[in-house]
Amino acid sequence: MNFSKLLLIFKWQHLVLGLLILLNVVVISVSDISDSRWIRLISTVLFFAYFLKFSSKLNVFILVVLVFMVLRDISIQYYEEPLGHMAFLIFGVLAYGILIIERLPKLKDIRISKMTLLISLILISANTYTLHILINMLEYHFGSAAHIIVFFTYGALMMIMTFTAVSYNYIYNSTRSLVFVFLAIGFLVSDITSLFAYYFEVDICYYLERISYLIGLSFTVHYGLSIRIQHIESEDRRIMDTAEINDTEVLYIDETTSGRAGEYSKEDEKASLYTFIKARKS
């Protein structure tokens, strides 16, 4: 699959995302929570099928993650039952755990920046606060001590996945790492807003939950399909490790060195979360 074809696939994916967001918003507006859950399941299955259709080199990690996402959305149909709620949490733990494991080898040279620390602390604080206020409210919902352990494990993995994503982006500063940041944030926002929507009856959070979930799912598919350029990311990192640069320098790889200047360098130049936010402000 050449690069131009990959870009076309991503453009079609954006169209699919927009249509699914519109469909989900309409269903949430005019129907009940049961129908909303079914349309979420259908959306997840469609993204799964999209991934299988356009994946030229199968990313096994993302394939398994998407399988667990589908199983989780099947479980959510029975969310009010202890077994259904337990299954929902377990499949979420497995999906987030695999995403973390898939990225861990990239973090062997982790260096914590102020931006990484700030974003991580904000997200972790929000999640910790949510878990704290919910645990007493949901005590009746847990059938056993194991249920509570799985609930906290789910919350902990959300935090770890977000920290892993931001650290990965800080180390590699690539477009692919930025995609991973967006998928992690999408799922984190989705999980937090879903709790406020369901348990605190904040109606607008139903919309925020679904939109952020679909965005996170779309970026997961994007991440899985971009496996073709993973070796480029690793090559750039290897060159950066061997080059003599200081903390304020930016490494630009010459065309004679990489044979691909102009195809990726401009895209990767603004690929960190910090430069993305800075570009948006300017």
Side-chain angles (χ1 to χ4, degrees):
M1 183 187 298
N2 57 43
F3 187 70
S4 60
K5 185 176 181 181
L6 192 64
L7 288 177
L8 180 61
I9 289 173
F10 291 153
K11 288 180 180 179
W12 278 107
Q13 184 182 330
H14 296 156
L15 177 61
V16 172
L17 172 62
L19 291 174
L20 287 177
I21 287 177
L22 179 61
L23 178 61
N24 276 263
V25 167
V26 170
V27 171
I28 293 172
S29 300
V30 302
S31 190
D32 58 19
I33 191 171
S34 177
D35 291 336
S36 171
R37 289 172 178 176
W38 276 109
I39 201 64
R40 169 175 162 142
L41 173 59
I42 292 171
S43 301
T44 303
V45 171
L46 287 175
F47 268 121
F48 185 34
Y50 190 94
F51 174 75
L52 293 177
K53 170 69 176 177
F54 294 106
S55 182
S56 59
K57 182 179 180 181
L58 199 62
N59 186 326
V60 178
F61 283 99
I62 299 302
L63 173 65
V64 176
V65 167
L66 291 174
V67 169
F68 285 138
M69 288 294 183
V70 171
L71 293 174
R72 186 174 71 157
D73 280 357
I74 293 175
S75 303
I76 204 176
Q77 311 304 320
Y78 311 97
Y79 191 81
E80 284 73 23
E81 301 177 14
L83 185 60
H85 187 236
M86 184 73 157
F88 173 84
L89 294 175
I90 289 175
F91 289 129
V93 165
L94 292 172
Y96 294 163
I98 290 174
L99 284 171
I100 294 168
I101 292 172
E102 196 267 348
R103 283 300 85 197
L104 282 180
K106 294 284 188 179
L107 304 182
K108 59 183 179 180
D109 299 321
I110 186 171
R111 293 186 287 271
I112 309 254
S113 69
K114 292 181 180 179
M115 177 62 70
T116 301
L117 187 60
L118 177 61
I119 294 175
S120 299
L121 285 176
I122 292 174
L123 295 175
I124 288 173
S125 298
N127 200 17
T128 302
Y129 174 74
T130 304
L131 290 176
H132 175 71
I133 62 177
L134 280 175
I135 190 60
N136 292 329
M137 290 182 57
L138 303 183
E139 188 173 355
Y140 71 93
H141 205 79
F142 298 122
S144 64
H147 204 152
I148 297 176
I149 292 173
V150 173
F151 178 75
F152 274 107
T153 302
Y154 185 94
L157 286 179
M158 278 197 294
M159 301 179 201
I160 295 172
M161 181 176 66
T162 304
F163 179 79
T164 299
V166 177
S167 299
Y168 166 41
N169 179 247
Y170 176 70
I171 293 173
Y172 283 85
N173 194 31
S174 65
T175 300
R176 194 162 188 264
S177 65
L178 185 60
V179 168
F180 195 85
V181 170
F182 287 146
L183 78 85
I185 293 177
F187 288 138
L188 177 67
V189 173
S190 173
D191 286 329
I192 292 176
T193 52
S194 68
L195 294 175
F196 280 97
Y198 186 79
Y199 294 105
F200 296 106
E201 299 182 353
V202 183
D203 291 341
I204 193 173
C205 285
Y206 282 109
Y207 299 97
L208 296 176
E209 175 273 325
R210 191 57 49 83
I211 292 172
S212 57
Y213 170 75
L214 291 173
I215 290 174
L217 193 62
S218 179
F219 275 114
T220 301
V221 172
H222 189 300
Y223 180 79
L225 292 176
S226 64
I227 191 172
R228 172 185 172 272
I229 59 176
Q230 183 176 3
H231 71 283
I232 296 171
E233 181 182 66
S234 299
E235 176 191 346
D236 285 354
R237 182 62 195 173
R238 181 183 60 80
I239 295 174
M240 290 178 68
D241 285 341
T242 57
E244 294 182 0
I245 58 174
N246 58 45
D247 293 336
T248 60
E249 288 178 332
V250 179
L251 179 62
Y252 294 94
I253 303 172
D254 188 78
E255 184 174 2
T256 58
T257 303
S258 64
R260 55 181 177 76
E263 184 176 4
Y264 297 103
S265 59
K266 289 184 179 180
E267 182 184 26
D268 288 342
E269 180 182 347
K270 293 185 178 180
S272 71
L273 184 59
Y274 173 74
T275 52
F276 177 83
I277 296 173
K278 185 177 180 181
R280 289 293 183 185
K281 289 182 178 180
S282 61

